[in-house]
Structure formats: structure tokens, C-alpha cells
Amino acid sequence: MSVTIRPACAEDRPLLEAFMSALQEIEREMEPNRFPGPEMAAQHLAWLEEQVAAHEGAVLLAEAEGVPVGFLICFTDEDPGFFVRREEARFGYIADLYVEEAARGSGTAQALMEAAEAHFRALGIRQLRLFAVAGNARAQAFYAKLGYGLYEVSLRKKI
């Protein structure tokens, strides 16, 4: 399968909302505290678009044989200046990555990640960060294969 990556455009918004909704439903299977995808997709996507515009980000769309099969949203972020050295404080953040089930295992996610890395490299960014739901072993294995390792661990206790 031949995969191409391109910047998303305004006409892609309904598709991006559908992909965001599908991503949320996958996470909701692992974390029932999540809102249903159709209830949150438009609002979350709007917030992400604001972050992309304000923080040198990108919304990337993957197409296989001209058919959209996934997306990635990323932008820059920065640690507060009081605990991380200034030269290490700025990073690229991968906010959301989704590939349709039929296209998984085809290299689509890797192509999206490589495009995001190229975007950040062009900005002079030296590190990337992302979060994965703790129960999503498949995503964690994928990111580990690309060279991502633990940086911080978020712990939770329900009371």
C-alpha cells in the first residue's frame, strides 16, 4: 500500500472529526471515563487547531491510494523554566495519532510519525513527547519500536 502524507486542509475537517471520534472510542474501551467520541470530537479538534496555530504545529493527513486513512496532530510545547534546562525545555508534542483499522500495520502510522519528526527537525526541535493510554499496549509497543522511551509516568488512584 502506497501511503502519502499531506497537510490537512479546511475541507478535511469532517473527516478529521470522524477520525477523532474513532480514536476516542478506542481509548474509551480502555478508559471508561472518556466521553463518547461523537460528543467530544469537534470541540477537541477545535482546541487542537488553536494549539497548532499558536505553537508551530501541523495537522497531517495520511492517504493510501488517495483515500484518507489516518491523521496526526502535533505542536510545540515548553517546560516551565525552573526545573528543566532552557536548551532542553522546548519540545515537539504529538497530541493525537489515528490510523483506520484496515490500514494498521501498513506503515501509515510510521509515515505520519516521520512527517511529524521532519516538521519538528525543521524547527530546530531536539526532542518529541507524547502520551499513550496505559492500557494501550499496541500503541506503546509501536512507539517503543520508533525509539520512544519513558520520560515521566502518570499515576492514578481512585478514591
Side-chain angles (χ1 to χ4, degrees), residues 5-159:
I5 308 298
R6 67 169 174 83
C9 59
E11 293 77 30
D12 297 318
R13 186 92 171 31
L15 176 67
L16 292 171
E17 283 185 27
F19 283 169
M20 183 65 71
S21 180
L23 174 58
Q24 181 76 352
E25 289 303 312
I26 290 169
E27 290 188 359
R28 211 160 82 98
E29 289 177 16
M30 293 172 253
E31 281 296 332
N33 66 354
R34 303 292 203 256
F35 282 109
E39 291 180 20
M40 59 70 70
Q43 183 178 2
H44 183 56
L45 188 56
W47 180 82
L48 288 169
E49 289 167 333
E50 290 173 9
Q51 300 310 302
V52 165
H55 302 283
E56 299 176 290
V59 179
L60 304 172
L61 191 67
E63 295 178 332
E65 312 299 329
V67 177
V69 294
F71 79 102
L72 182 147
I73 300 177
C74 60
F75 48 88
T76 63
D77 202 350
E78 195 167 312
D79 285 318
F82 47 81
F83 68 93
V84 174
R85 293 188 320 263
R86 290 300 328 143
E87 68 271 14
E88 297 291 328
R90 192 164 182 241
F91 59 92
Y93 178 64
I94 309 297
D96 285 291
L97 169 64
Y98 172 77
V99 174
E100 288 192 309
E101 189 169 345
R104 293 180 195 152
S106 69
T108 300
Q110 184 168 342
L112 283 162
M113 292 295 288
E114 288 171 358
E117 287 181 18
H119 171 77
F120 290 125
R121 224 179 264 110
L123 295 174
I125 299 291
R126 296 173 41 183
Q127 66 172 310
L128 302 181
R129 296 186 196 167
L130 54 82
F131 292 98
V133 173
N136 194 342
R138 183 175 181 174
Q140 291 173 42
F142 167 73
Y143 294 128
K145 184 177 113 184
L146 294 181
Y148 286 78
L150 291 179
Y151 174 66
E152 295 178 330
V153 176
S154 175
L155 304 173
R156 168 178 71 182
K157 177 182 178 181
K158 294 184 178 186
I159 57 171

